[in-house]
Amino acid sequence: MNPAPHRSEIRAAPSPRTGQSGTKPDMMLKPHSLGALLLTLLALPALSSVPAHAAPAAHLAAVAPVASAEGHTADQISRFLATFYGDHGPSPQDREQYVSQILKDRQQVSTDSDVLLCSQNEPQKIGIGPVTVAQAAGVGWATVTTHWAGGVTDTFTAYVRLDSKPIRLDDVICAG
């Protein structure tokens, strides 16, 4: 009988830089309570004293919440988009108050088409699909379907930043 251990029985001693689990001590997971606290403190200053001339449109006021530390929820974004787009597209007041500056600038450059509807005309009906929220990316989005004469439909994707205060349309990507 061979007194030497078989190679499957030989185990290296744990390295002084690693623990029993094989992870380095400096790579241990640490709680991020300080970061969560700072994020909460940043979200505290709500719009408590908004001047009357800056008050949002009455029909969007109920669905234009201030983002929490986690940001807007899928339900909040869904209600916002449904109210914002309505049946035929956003009103001039909604376009002014609930649209990012990027989209406003893009609309000024594109005079032949409406960048918020990805079209040249007003649709007969608008539908909002399910909302997807990506917390890590800080954005939520939904497919918007426009219905036209003759049963023709078109789609585009509407994006909302989770931290927008108040909630607003951040970007629109046309399907074709």
Side-chain angles (χ1 to χ4, degrees):
M1 185 158 154
N2 187 355
H6 187 266
R7 69 175 178 228
S8 66
E9 298 172 338
I10 300 174
R11 297 198 192 277
S15 163
R17 290 204 27 100
T18 63
Q20 285 292 348
S21 66
T23 61
K24 294 182 181 178
D26 57 354
M27 293 179 64
M28 298 297 290
L29 295 176
K30 295 184 172 52
H32 295 285
S33 57
L34 181 60
L37 176 64
L38 289 174
L39 188 56
T40 303
L41 291 174
L42 290 173
L44 282 179
L47 299 172
S48 58
S49 58
V50 178
H53 69 278
H59 70 283
L60 279 177
V63 293
V66 175
S68 67
E70 295 82 31
H72 304 298
T73 65
D75 185 54
Q76 290 170 331
I77 294 170
S78 180
R79 285 184 284 134
F80 166 74
L81 291 173
T83 304
F84 177 82
Y85 278 108
D87 287 330
H88 306 289
S91 71
Q93 186 176 2
D94 293 342
R95 289 171 182 273
E96 182 59 35
Q97 293 184 5
Y98 299 106
V99 175
S100 70
Q101 189 60 46
I102 293 168
L103 284 172
K104 290 176 185 177
D105 293 345
R106 194 182 304 161
Q107 184 62 65
Q108 286 190 345
V109 173
S110 177
T111 56
D112 61 334
S113 134
D114 185 342
V115 298
L116 301 182
L117 292 168
C118 296
S119 68
Q120 295 178 342
N121 302 313
E122 182 179 294
Q124 291 180 338
K125 182 181 169 191
I126 299 176
I128 308 297
V131 172
T132 301
V133 172
Q135 289 288 342
V139 69
W141 65 90
T143 299
V144 179
T145 303
T146 51
H147 300 267
W148 305 91
V152 176
T153 61
D154 198 5
T155 61
F156 59 88
T157 306
Y159 294 87
V160 173
R161 283 181 42 150
L162 300 182
D163 64 352
S164 59
K165 297 177 187 177
I167 192 169
R168 73 175 58 100
L169 187 65
D170 191 57
D171 200 4
V172 172
I173 305 296
C174 302

